[in-house]
Each structure stands twice: as C-alpha cells, then as structure tokens.
Amino acid sequence: MSFALSPARPLRLPPVLAAVAVLAVLALPLAAGGDGESGAGPADAVSALVVLYAALRAVRERRRPLSATAAVVLGMPVAGLAVAAMGAASPGAGLTGLGRYLQVFVLVPAAVVLLVRDRADFRLLAWSFVGLAVWQGAVGVQQYVTGTGASYQGELIRAVGTFGPQDVMGMATVVSFGLVCALGLALGRAPVRQRVAAGACALGLLLPLAVSFSRGAWIATVLTCAVQLVLAGPRRALKVAAVAVAAGVVLVGGFGIGTAMLQERLSSIGQVTDAPDQSVVDRYTLWAAATGMWRQHPVTGVGLKNFPAYRDGHASLALSSGSDTEGAGAAYRKQPLLSPHDMYLLVLSEQGLLGLLALAGSWLALLVCGLRGLWRVRGGAGLDCALVGCGLLIWQLVDFAYADIGGPSTVLTAVVFGVVAWWALVGAAE
C-alpha cells in the first residue's frame, strides 16, 4: 500500500493583520523630544502601506472595493477638504493638511473596511486594541508609581505611556479605546472564558486611565460605557455597574489610588466656570478665537492649517504662550497652542460650514447605520461587535468636544473610524 503525500498548503494570514500592524507599531517607544504636533512617525508610514496593500488586493481580486453607500459615506468629507485646501496659506500647507485629513477620515478607514472580512476579523482587531491598551497602561502605571512620567503640578507622575509629554493625550486615548472594546466584548455572547477575560481587562484599564489625569478621556469613557451598558440590556448594566463600583472601592480604599491630586483633578471637572485653571482658560480662549474666525469666514473657513496664523488676531490677552511639557524622558519644552483643542471648532474655523457639514454628516451616517445594526443583532451573536463599533464612535464624538487630531496617536483614530465604518456599513448587514 502506498501513501501519496499531499503538498503542504501555504499558510494564509488574514488581511486584517495589516491593520493590526499599525497598532503594533504604536506600542513602540517614540524618540524623546519628538514633535508632537506634526505627528508623522512610523505608524503613519505603516498606515500608508496598509492603504496601498488594501488597494492592491482590491485590484487583484477584481471586485468593487466598496459599496455605493460606503463610498458616499466615507467620501463625504472630500469636497469640503478640497475647498479648504485651496484656501491654505501655501500649496505645501494645503497639501499637508489635505493629506492628514484624508488619511484619518477617508483612506485608512476605507482600507480597514476592505481588510476586515468577517466578524472574526473584527474581534481580532478589537482584541488588538485591548492588547495595546494593556501594554500602554502598564507603562503608564509604572511611570506613575516610580515618578518617571510627564510633569503634572510639578511632579513627574502623569502617565503618558510611550508617547511622551508632547502627546500627553496619547496613552489616555489608547487606554480609553481598549476599555471600550473590552467592555463591548465582555457584554457580548462569546464563550464565558473570553467574556471574563475581557471584563478583567476593562477593570484593569481603569487604573491607567485614572492616572492619565485626562478629564476629557474620563468624561468620554464614562458616557460611552454608560451607553454600552444601556444598549446591552438593563440586567447586564446592573451587574457590570455593581462590579465597577466594587472595583472602584478596592482601588480607592485598598490601594490608595484616590490621591489628593487625583481627587482635585476629578473635582475640577465641575469647577471649570467657577475657578478655572490656566489650561481651561486657554481652552476657552482658543474656542472663542475659532468661533471668531468662523464668523468672518462662515462658508469655507480660513483654510487648512491656518488656525495658528489667525489665532492671535482673534484671541484675548488671557491666552498663555503655550503649555509646559517635560518628563518621561524628555527635556522641558514650551509647547505652542496651535489648535483650539476641539475638533468641531477646528473644522468650523478652517473649513467653515461646508467642511463641518461634510465631516459631521459622514460621522452621523456612521452612527445611524451602526445603531441600526445594533438593534438588528440585539440578543444575537453579533452584539459584541455592535457594542464595540458603536462604542468607539460615541467615544470619539464625545472626545472631539475636548480634543482634535494631532500627534503620533492620531493614526489610531484613523483605524478606529475604519472599525466603526466596517460595522456600520458591512458587518451590521451580515
């Protein structure tokens, strides 16, 4: 009797690993003193390769890459961006700003939609967000405990992960995304072991989020998690809320996490109008400046990347010269305030109503489609995907009221919009 040896079948890796590679690069430490404003780094280069890879796969497979609905929703911001780019101070600035916006809101999201084949790929990407958050959170907690983080009220205790003080919101953003993904996975219909692991990760990420001292991330995360719990059902909401309260008691009472600085930072959320600190004064002043620019140029704005040039002409004397950054391996630096730290006002001031309606219209369409898909799968196997997709978008839309794009972690926002777009435009219909 003879046995014929069958040829070894080549190992085919899922295409979604290309998107996972972007997250893996964000786990690497950045060079100390890197420019937190430009944000161009290794992850941006990898994201460009991901876009190219997705395009080549679509051409090779000879299929229409996106549905008509997906093409319209993802392509809506292009018109406003093109008009605003023509109003930039120079062709170079216009092209740079146009490329950044296209990367974050059009190209990378479209590539992720093409690379995610099914809900299994979606869950792999969601777990990758959790893994990145756990790593960055562990680095941040170590910085807080050892006093090697970024400067906060004269002490080097602010957790910033590997992003450094120039991108002080980077770790908080990563941890928040991971927490939202972990909670969504825990509330789904996966095997018990996976749900328990996801729940443990979500609880563990509360500590690094707390010591990031990021009020905007706290607000966005609390609101998003509350919405996820309500959408998952009242019984689960009560159970998870009870566990979260118990974990908070342990963290504050057992481990002493409720330091005076943390309590002061938390209480300052409700005191921004009574006794605002300089960071809040700067934020209000920048918001007023952005609104003034829009009033003068209501339709098309002042042009891409022109906010810094118009800022001083619309800002009051209350605006400081910049924010002080140091620690986490970087020397002292005065970081200029080059944006209003509000995505909606940044778009309104630089792109006018045309740009804001285009971008916000795309986000609103994703939200409506995502929630409609969540309603369709309530109680089914796709609930975890729905909660992750809708949760990430809700978090981002809330956070945009306190932050805008910029810095090395911006490319993560691009991947998030890809995850959201896949669920809203493809996964919800499966």
Side-chain angles (χ1 to χ4, degrees), residues 194-232:
Q194 294 184 25
R195 286 188 279 125
V196 170
C201 290
L203 290 175
L205 290 172
L206 291 174
L207 176 56
L209 181 62
V211 296
S212 70
F213 293 97
S214 172
R215 291 173 293 199
W218 292 349
I219 294 172
T221 303
V222 169
L223 291 178
T224 301
C225 292
V227 172
Q228 285 181 302
L229 291 173
V230 171
L231 293 176

Side-chain angles (χ1 to χ4, degrees), residues 9-415:
R9 303 179 68 177
L11 177 63
R12 293 189 176 182
L13 300 177
V16 73
L17 290 180
V20 174
V22 178
L23 276 63
V25 174
L26 286 171
L28 302 176
L30 298 173
D35 188 356
E37 291 298 330
S38 67
D44 295 279
V46 174
S47 73
L49 294 176
V50 169
V51 172
L52 179 61
Y53 172 63
L56 291 176
R57 285 191 76 252
V59 172
R60 186 182 62 186
E61 295 177 359
R62 297 181 181 181
R63 62 183 177 88
R64 188 170 69 175
L66 297 172
S67 67
T69 302
V72 170
V73 172
L74 292 177
M76 284 178 63
V78 175
L81 289 171
V83 173
M86 291 188 291
S90 65
L95 289 175
T96 301
L98 178 63
R100 189 60 155 170
Y101 274 95
L102 290 178
Q103 173 202 21
V104 177
F105 300 115
V106 180
L107 297 178
V108 174
V112 174
V113 170
L114 294 175
L115 295 175
V116 177
R117 299 169 302 179
D118 49 33
R119 290 176 181 174
D121 283 356
F122 184 96
R123 293 184 180 99
L124 174 60
L125 195 51
W127 275 108
S128 300
F129 273 97
V130 177
L132 176 62
V134 170
W135 163 247
Q136 290 288 355
V139 175
V141 171
Q142 188 267 343
Q143 292 170 336
Y144 174 79
V145 172
T146 60
T148 56
S151 177
Y152 178 75
Q153 294 188 1
E155 297 187 37
L156 303 180
I157 59 171
R158 188 167 191 175
V160 292
T162 64
F163 293 98
Q166 280 75 42
D167 190 10
V168 73
M169 288 291 298
M171 189 215 74
T173 300
V174 169
V175 170
S176 298
F177 286 152
L179 200 157
V180 170
C181 287
L183 183 58
L185 293 167
L187 293 172
R189 296 292 189 270
V192 175
R193 184 176 300 178
Q194 294 184 25
R195 286 188 279 125
V196 170
C201 290
L203 290 175
L205 290 172
L206 291 174
L207 176 56
L209 181 62
V211 296
S212 70
F213 293 97
S214 172
R215 291 173 293 199
W218 292 349
I219 294 172
T221 303
V222 169
L223 291 178
T224 301
C225 292
V227 172
Q228 285 181 302
L229 291 173
V230 171
L231 293 176
R235 290 184 179 180
R236 291 193 168 194
L238 291 175
K239 291 179 182 179
V240 175
V243 173
V245 171
V249 171
V250 172
L251 288 175
V252 175
F255 296 99
I257 301 303
T259 63
M261 286 187 178
L262 187 57
Q263 294 175 1
E264 178 184 350
R265 187 71 166 176
L266 185 62
S267 62
S268 69
I269 294 176
Q271 299 173 352
V272 293
T273 57
D274 298 330
D277 55 31
Q278 186 58 47
S279 66
V280 175
V281 172
D282 287 339
R283 192 176 298 264
Y284 285 164
T285 306
L286 291 169
W287 288 357
T291 304
M293 295 177 202
W294 168 68
R295 289 197 183 102
Q296 288 192 354
H297 306 270
V299 179
T300 58
V302 299
L304 288 183
K305 299 186 75 66
N306 272 351
F307 181 88
Y310 285 78
R311 182 197 63 186
D312 292 341
H314 294 83
S316 69
L317 296 177
L319 183 66
S320 66
S321 59
S323 58
D324 300 332
T325 62
E326 64 175 327
Y332 172 83
R333 176 187 174 189
K334 178 74 74 172
Q335 189 164 353
L337 303 174
L338 302 179
S339 73
H341 297 285
D342 182 304
M343 190 65 201
Y344 305 106
L345 290 178
L346 176 63
V347 174
L348 190 65
S349 62
E350 292 190 343
Q351 303 178 41
L353 280 175
L354 178 62
L356 182 61
L357 290 176
L359 265 175
S362 176
W363 300 339
L364 180 60
L366 290 176
L367 182 61
V368 170
C369 292
L371 290 174
R372 185 174 60 185
L374 186 148
W375 184 261
R376 188 179 299 142
V377 300
R378 284 191 79 179
L383 179 61
D384 55 344
C385 298
L387 292 173
V388 169
C390 295
L392 287 175
L393 181 57
I394 292 170
W395 189 95
Q396 194 64 77
L397 295 182
V398 173
D399 185 69
F400 273 165
Y402 306 93
D404 47 48
I405 59 174
S409 60
T410 296
V411 70
L412 189 67
T413 301
V415 179

